[in-house]
Amino acid sequence: MSKAVVVFSGGQDSTTCLIQALGQYDEVHAITFDYGQRHSQEIQVAKDLAAELKIKSHKVMDVSLLNELAISALTRDAIPVSHELMDNGLPNTFVPGRNILFLTLAGIYAYQLGADAIITGVCETDFSGYPDCRNDFVKAMESALVQGMDRKLEIVTPLMWLNKAQTWALADKYQQLELVRNRTLTCYNGVIGDGCGDCPACLLRRRGLEDYLQDAQAVMASLARQ
C-alpha cells in the first residue's frame, strides 16, 4: 500500500498537492504546523479542507517554538508585510528554518506511519524568493532524512518547476479549481479566497490565475509537457 504525508497549510499550493496525491496514493495523510503564524486562520482552513477531501488522517502540530526563534513579518504582527526585499536580499516574510523544521517533523511522522513519501508544495520557478523552496535544499533535506533514519523516503515536489498559471491548471485538471480558488488561504493578511489583493502572495496568485484564465488551453498543454 502506498502512503504519503502532505505538508499542508491550507493554501493554494499545498491544497493542490493534496488533491493530486489523493489520485496517486492509497493513503494520504496531512500534517499542518501551528507556529503562531500571522494568518492563523489557515489552521481552521486546513482542517475544513482535510475533512471535505476525506483524507486518511490530519495531524495539527504545535511548533510555537519556531515563533520564539524566527523573527519575520509572518511571526510578528507588528512587522508589516513589505513588497521590498530586506538588506540580505530576502522578503521580510521569510521565516528562517521553517521548512527545515517542517520537513524534519514530516519525515518523523512518515516514519511512524510507514509512508515512503513526503509531499510539499514548494516551488523554485515562480516563488517568493525563499531559499528553503529551492530544489537543491529539498534534495539535501531528503538525503539527511534518509541517512538519519536509515529508511527509504522521498520528498516529492509536484510544483517545483511549475509557474503559478500551471499550478492553477493542475487544480483544474482534477476538477477542483473552484475549491482551490474560493476555499484556500494564501494571503499573508489572512483573507480566504482571492485574498487582500495587495500582499506579495496575493499578487503572485492573482497573476497566475489571470494568465491561466486568459489561455487555459495553452497553459494546460504546457502542464502536460512537464
Side-chain angles (χ1 to χ4, degrees):
M1 177 179 290
S2 59
K3 300 180 184 180
V5 172
V6 179
V7 179
F8 185 48
S9 71
Q12 175 192 0
D13 294 341
S14 65
T15 303
T16 302
C17 288
L18 181 61
I19 289 165
Q20 183 186 51
L22 287 167
Q24 296 179 333
Y25 295 86
D26 298 316
E27 275 189 19
V28 176
H29 303 261
I31 185 166
T32 298
F33 298 103
D34 183 351
Y35 60 97
Q37 51 267 58
R38 184 188 197 99
H39 40 300
S40 58
Q41 300 96 317
E42 73 176 30
I43 306 300
Q44 188 59 52
V45 169
K47 289 179 178 178
D48 292 344
L49 288 170
E52 181 167 342
L53 293 169
K54 296 179 173 60
I55 63 175
K56 182 70 174 179
S57 73
H58 180 213
K59 186 176 189 65
V60 178
M61 179 168 285
D62 181 352
V63 290
S64 52
L65 78 165
L66 178 63
N67 192 290
E68 297 178 29
L69 297 172
I71 298 175
S72 160
L74 294 192
T75 60
R76 300 291 186 276
D77 289 341
I79 302 176
V81 174
S82 174
H83 290 272
E84 305 299 324
L85 299 180
M86 298 186 294
D87 292 341
N88 61 6
L90 297 176
N92 78 338
T93 51
F94 172 61
V95 181
R98 180 173 61 174
N99 283 346
I100 297 172
L101 178 63
F102 288 3
L103 290 174
T104 299
L105 295 174
I108 297 169
Y109 190 46
Y111 186 99
Q112 298 301 326
L113 293 172
D116 55 14
I118 300 169
I119 301 173
T120 177
V122 298
C123 170
E124 186 170 324
T125 303
D126 213 0
F127 75 134
S128 301
Y130 299 158
D132 58 0
C133 288
R134 297 178 299 190
N135 190 59
D136 286 349
F137 161 75
V138 172
K139 292 304 180 188
M141 279 298 302
E142 179 182 274
S143 177
L145 289 170
V146 168
Q147 293 181 60
M149 297 192 291
D150 194 22
R151 187 179 183 281
K152 178 185 175 184
L153 186 66
E154 181 183 9
I155 301 179
V156 181
T157 54
L159 311 184
M160 181 59 74
W161 307 116
L162 303 186
N163 60 37
K164 266 291 181 283
Q166 291 169 324
T167 301
W168 283 111
L170 185 59
D172 204 10
K173 176 182 175 182
Y174 290 94
Q175 288 93 45
Q176 294 285 13
L177 187 143
E178 291 305 312
L179 179 142
V180 173
R181 179 174 183 178
N182 297 317
R183 302 280 303 283
T184 61
L185 174 54
T186 303
C187 175
Y188 290 150
N189 291 311
V191 182
I192 297 172
D194 290 336
C196 70
D198 180 65
C199 74
C202 283
L203 293 176
L204 182 62
R205 173 178 164 131
R206 186 179 70 198
R207 284 197 297 265
L209 181 60
E210 289 172 351
D211 289 345
Y212 176 60
L213 295 178
Q214 186 175 13
D215 196 350
Q217 187 173 0
V219 176
M220 195 69 81
S222 69
L223 175 66
R225 294 193 294 269
Q226 287 286 334

